[in-house]
Amino acid sequence: MKTFRGEVKAAVQGVKYRTDFDKTALQSNYDKRKWQKTTSDTDWNFFWASVVTVRQIFNPEIGYRLNDSQIINHFPNHVEMTRKDLMVKNIKRYRKELEREGNPLGARDGNGNYIYFDFVPSTYNLPSDFSLWTEEFKRHSDDVWILKPHGRAQGKGIVLANKIATVKRFMVGYSKGMRDTYIISKYLNNPLLVGGKKFDLRLYVLVTNYRPLKIYFNTEGFARFCNVKYTSANNSNIDNMFVHLTNVAIQKHGDDYNDKHGNK
């Protein structure tokens, strides 16, 4: 057993890592494990790379493929699941495939709503789906909608809307050269609350393979809470993001924010 442990320890210490940007948390772990830094394009075991670098590595013209002893921190084309508009596109595509196959997961109820895939509300891309969204808005004019930029984070650029005019302002901005495109989703006006406040869950998984799918689920996570107790979106509170968005980047500016635990 001692010999085996010694061999494992030697193998771990012999790991070669490469990175194209420095982060203290990463560097301290490399040093702790006595990994060896390398700048080689091919002779490495672990590569913490930027999204741009990953795209370059897996460019079809280069044709590079990882060997069994190499691990990288991003899957190529992972943006298909991490960017809001592309994630919605792929979920919609998957639902249609399930329906065509007659899979029970693609079943709908008598009103045409998905029974098992109802966790994704009606969603459209803007500006391309503006006309389609307008038609649905007119059919359900009492609904509230939430606009989110496709490629931004931390609650930046998010707006709640209950009028076509609000959404049209973004269309005008886009026509004048504004770069952000948006998704617009039906806002869930009756969410699950804890202590009367909106919250979201931060749960972490590590996906090491897609074929076959292999996922490691972290048993620990946390919840993020709003500062202000929730009331349904209406004209008086529709712009109050302390009620509607759980993002820490938003909530930390509220009067009731607790900087000791960060509303977690």
Side-chain angles (χ1 to χ4, degrees):
M1 182 63 71
K2 289 183 180 179
T3 301
F4 175 75
R5 287 178 177 173
E7 290 175 352
V8 171
K9 183 177 180 181
V12 171
Q13 290 180 349
V15 169
K16 296 178 181 179
Y17 77 90
R18 185 182 174 190
T19 182
D20 57 3
F21 60 95
D22 294 324
K23 279 188 174 291
T24 303
L26 294 173
Q27 190 62 52
S28 63
N29 277 281
Y30 302 147
D31 295 341
K32 180 180 178 181
R33 290 163 175 77
K34 295 182 171 55
W35 289 3
Q36 304 167 22
K37 187 172 184 178
T38 181
T39 57
S40 171
D41 289 336
T42 57
D43 186 19
W44 50 266
N45 305 109
F46 182 84
F47 195 165
W48 192 278
S50 67
V51 174
V52 173
T53 299
V54 172
R55 289 175 181 167
Q56 292 173 346
I57 291 174
F58 292 99
N59 188 314
E61 296 179 1
I62 297 175
Y64 186 80
R65 291 294 180 268
L66 301 183
N67 62 46
D68 291 341
S69 64
Q70 291 181 315
I71 296 176
I72 201 165
N73 62 315
H74 287 297
F75 281 96
N77 216 26
H78 72 283
V79 69
E80 290 285 339
M81 290 303 295
T82 56
R83 206 176 82 174
K84 300 178 185 73
D85 58 328
L86 298 179
M87 180 182 70
V88 169
K89 177 199 72 175
N90 285 304
I91 289 176
K92 287 181 176 180
R93 178 184 296 171
Y94 182 52
R95 290 193 302 198
K96 290 180 180 178
E97 288 180 359
L98 292 174
E99 284 188 90
R100 283 197 298 268
E101 295 169 357
N103 191 308
L105 290 176
R108 298 176 185 247
D109 61 20
N111 296 318
N113 299 314
Y114 285 98
I115 298 174
Y116 303 107
F117 270 83
D118 60 343
F119 55 85
V120 180
S122 297
T123 302
Y124 299 90
N125 281 310
L126 298 179
S128 59
D129 293 337
F130 179 70
S131 296
L132 292 174
W133 171 78
T134 302
E135 291 177 9
E136 179 159 349
F137 181 89
K138 290 178 179 178
R139 289 195 298 269
H140 308 281
S141 58
D142 293 333
D143 289 338
V144 177
W145 296 77
I146 184 167
L147 290 93
K148 296 183 177 182
H150 285 163
R152 302 179 75 180
Q154 299 182 326
K156 295 175 181 176
I158 295 179
V159 174
L160 267 63
N162 58 0
K163 298 176 182 178
I164 292 180
T166 303
V167 180
K168 277 186 175 179
R169 287 204 299 270
F170 289 87
M171 299 301 97
V172 172
Y174 186 83
S175 65
K176 291 182 178 179
M178 183 179 69
R179 296 182 62 185
D180 282 332
T181 51
Y182 283 74
I183 62 168
I184 184 167
S185 301
K186 190 172 292 187
Y187 187 61
L188 303 181
N189 226 351
N190 186 28
L192 178 66
L193 306 175
V194 172
K197 296 179 179 180
K198 281 190 70 174
F199 70 100
D200 69 18
L201 294 176
R202 278 292 187 263
L203 304 174
Y204 295 92
V205 298
L206 173 64
V207 181
T208 59
N209 200 23
Y210 279 120
R211 291 186 179 179
L213 183 63
K214 183 181 286 187
I215 302 174
Y216 294 90
F217 186 79
N218 191 338
T219 56
E220 295 184 354
F222 62 90
R224 303 185 306 179
F225 290 84
C226 287
N227 284 319
V228 182
K229 286 193 173 185
Y230 180 78
T231 53
S232 298
N234 53 59
N235 289 331
S236 64
N237 73 3
I238 199 168
D239 296 323
N240 188 346
M241 294 302 126
F242 299 131
V243 173
H244 300 291
L245 300 185
T246 57
N247 305 76
V248 173
I250 300 292
Q251 296 295 329
K252 68 181 181 180
H253 299 293
D255 294 336
D256 298 321
Y257 181 72
N258 188 317
D259 57 8
K260 292 183 178 180
H261 55 63
N263 279 22
K264 300 182 181 72

